[in-house]
């Protein structure tokens, strides 16, 4: 190979680097977006403040009568005819078995929506920008997983909580928004630091470890809130319920979504596990936003 040919083979490298470098204006926008998103973890702070009555006003907020988390689980388990000994989740069982000092906290989970419901809907709708960022290639987040996460949350805030008032006072709504907001505060703070060339190990570890608990908690709450909206007159849809009009087409659609929610959780969960193996096995200085 001649010197001229050798020179030609080396020249594309700087061009490639320039191609993948983030423009200053775009980088500034992404930093601002992530900082604002991290600081706007309203539900992450407002929900615990309400649960522990830190402002003294939580007990004034009343929750409407609704299906409790335990009643939803009980109905789900009776579908599969589990042994009686395993049916420990009956309405009011959890609250009655809690220590007296925890019972008020559990009771307040039914009124969290009145504090954070509107903000949660706004924030999750604003997250459509996440899909735009991934679609335009501004971030390295996989488009498929980003669409799955954003669309599922939009469905929960607008298709479930907005359309079915009963689920708003379900304790599962509280566990769902707590999982969402905790994940987002960590994730956006992590991205913001990463964009300015800083990778605090605490955030790195939290970003790729807390999902072990937060993902199943959030996705499980989402799935069972969806299940709670199904007609209670016929736990398992069949031709009898179809003929009698007990189950509408939308009910069947939500039932299908409940079933496919679990494979979706598996996809997100295994993706994060693989990312954790890759990221935590490298020095923080080599980490890039994904």
């Amino acid at each position: 190979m001649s010197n001229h040919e050798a020179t030609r083979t080396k020249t594309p490298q700087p061009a490639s680097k320039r191609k993948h470098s983030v423009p200053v204006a775009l980088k500034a926008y992404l930093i601002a977006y992530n900082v604002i998103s991290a600081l706007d973890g309203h539900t992450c702070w407002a929900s615990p403040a309400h649960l522990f009555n830190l402002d003294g006003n939580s007990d004034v907020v009343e929750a409407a009568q609704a299906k409790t988390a335990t009643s939803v689980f009980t109905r789900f388990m009776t579908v599969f005819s589990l042994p009686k000994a395993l049916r420990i989740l009956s309405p009011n069982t959890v609250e009655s078995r809690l220590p007296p000092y925890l019972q008020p906290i559990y009771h307040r989970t039914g009124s969290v929506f009145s504090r954070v419901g509107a903000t949660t809907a706004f924030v999750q709708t604003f997250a459509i920008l996440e899909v735009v960022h991934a679609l335009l290639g501004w971030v390295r987040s996989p488009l498929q997983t980003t669409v799955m996460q954003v669309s599922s949350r939009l469905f929960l805030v607008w298709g479930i909580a907005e359309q079915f008032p009963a689920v708003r006072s379900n304790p599962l709504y509280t566990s769902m928004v707590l999982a969402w907001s905790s994940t987002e505060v960590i994730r956006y703070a992590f991205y913001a630091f990463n964009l300015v060339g800083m990778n605090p190990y605490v955030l790195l570890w939290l970003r790729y470890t807390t999902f072990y608990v937060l993902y199943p908690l959030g996705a499980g709450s989402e799935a069972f809130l969806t299940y709670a909206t199904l007609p209670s007159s016929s736990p398992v849809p069949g031709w009898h319920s179809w003929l009698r009009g007990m189950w509408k087409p939308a009910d069947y659609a939500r039932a299908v979504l409940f079933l496919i929610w679990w494979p979706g959780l598996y996809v997100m969960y295994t993706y994060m596990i693989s990312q954790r193996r890759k990221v935590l096995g490298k020095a923080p200085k080599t980490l890039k936003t994904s």
Side-chain angles (χ1 to χ4, degrees):
M1 181 182 293
S2 65
N3 292 335
H4 178 65
E5 291 175 331
T7 302
R8 290 178 61 187
T9 59
K10 294 179 181 180
T11 53
Q13 293 181 356
S16 177
K17 292 182 180 179
R18 287 194 300 269
K19 181 179 179 180
H20 290 87
S21 62
V22 181
V24 176
L26 176 58
K27 186 174 183 178
Y29 162 76
L30 291 175
I31 292 173
Y33 175 84
N34 284 284
V35 169
I36 294 173
S37 299
L39 294 177
D40 191 32
H42 173 74
T43 53
C44 190
W45 321 120
S47 297
H50 177 76
L51 293 176
F52 292 98
N53 197 24
L54 298 182
D55 59 359
N57 296 322
S58 298
D59 292 332
V60 178
V61 181
E62 292 293 335
Q65 287 296 112
K67 300 174 183 177
T68 64
T70 51
S71 66
V72 173
F73 289 137
T74 300
R75 177 188 161 202
F76 176 74
M77 289 191 297
T78 55
V79 172
F80 298 97
S81 300
L82 292 180
K84 187 176 181 180
L86 296 179
R87 300 175 190 174
I88 60 174
L89 294 176
S90 60
N92 301 320
T93 296
V94 173
E95 184 172 1
S96 63
R97 291 185 178 182
L98 289 174
Y101 61 88
L102 290 181
Q103 291 181 12
I105 298 175
Y106 180 83
H107 181 72
R108 293 183 194 116
T109 60
S111 54
V112 165
F113 179 87
S114 62
R115 289 291 187 92
V116 304
T119 303
T120 299
F122 172 78
V123 170
Q124 297 307 323
T125 302
F126 193 67
I128 293 177
L129 289 175
E130 299 278 342
V131 177
V132 176
H133 297 166
L135 185 63
L136 297 178
W138 291 354
V139 297
R140 296 188 178 185
S141 300
L143 180 61
Q144 180 182 0
T145 53
T146 302
V147 171
M148 286 176 58
Q149 178 175 318
V150 173
S151 60
S152 66
R153 294 187 178 186
L154 288 175
F155 169 70
L156 261 297
V157 296
W158 294 111
I160 298 297
E162 188 71 15
Q163 304 300 322
F164 299 91
V167 304
R168 301 172 189 172
S169 52
N170 193 312
L172 290 171
Y173 179 86
T174 301
S175 59
M176 179 183 72
V177 297
L178 281 174
W180 287 359
S181 57
S182 299
T183 299
E184 289 170 354
V185 168
I186 296 171
R187 181 165 61 96
Y188 287 126
F190 170 77
Y191 286 162
F193 275 102
N194 189 250
L195 283 166
V196 295
M198 300 174 61
N199 298 299
Y201 186 77
V202 172
L203 279 178
L204 175 66
W205 187 87
L206 290 173
R207 170 74 177 106
Y208 291 100
T209 303
T210 54
F211 76 90
Y212 278 119
V213 174
L214 295 178
Y215 272 34
L217 177 63
S221 299
E222 295 167 11
F224 281 108
L225 276 182
T226 302
Y227 184 83
T229 66
L230 301 180
S232 58
S233 56
S234 180
V236 177
W239 67 274
H240 283 291
S241 62
W242 182 77
L243 288 176
R244 296 174 184 176
M246 295 180 183
W247 283 63
K248 307 297 186 213
D251 298 326
Y252 284 101
R254 292 195 306 279
V256 171
L257 286 175
F258 171 77
L259 294 177
I260 67 175
W261 219 260
W262 308 105
L265 170 60
Y266 175 80
V267 171
M268 296 292 295
Y269 204 63
T270 53
Y271 168 74
M272 286 302 299
I273 290 176
S274 64
Q275 288 297 103
R276 187 179 195 274
R277 290 172 181 167
K278 294 177 183 178
V279 171
L280 293 185
K282 299 179 180 180
K285 65 180 181 179
T286 63
L287 182 65
K288 293 186 178 180
T289 304
S290 59

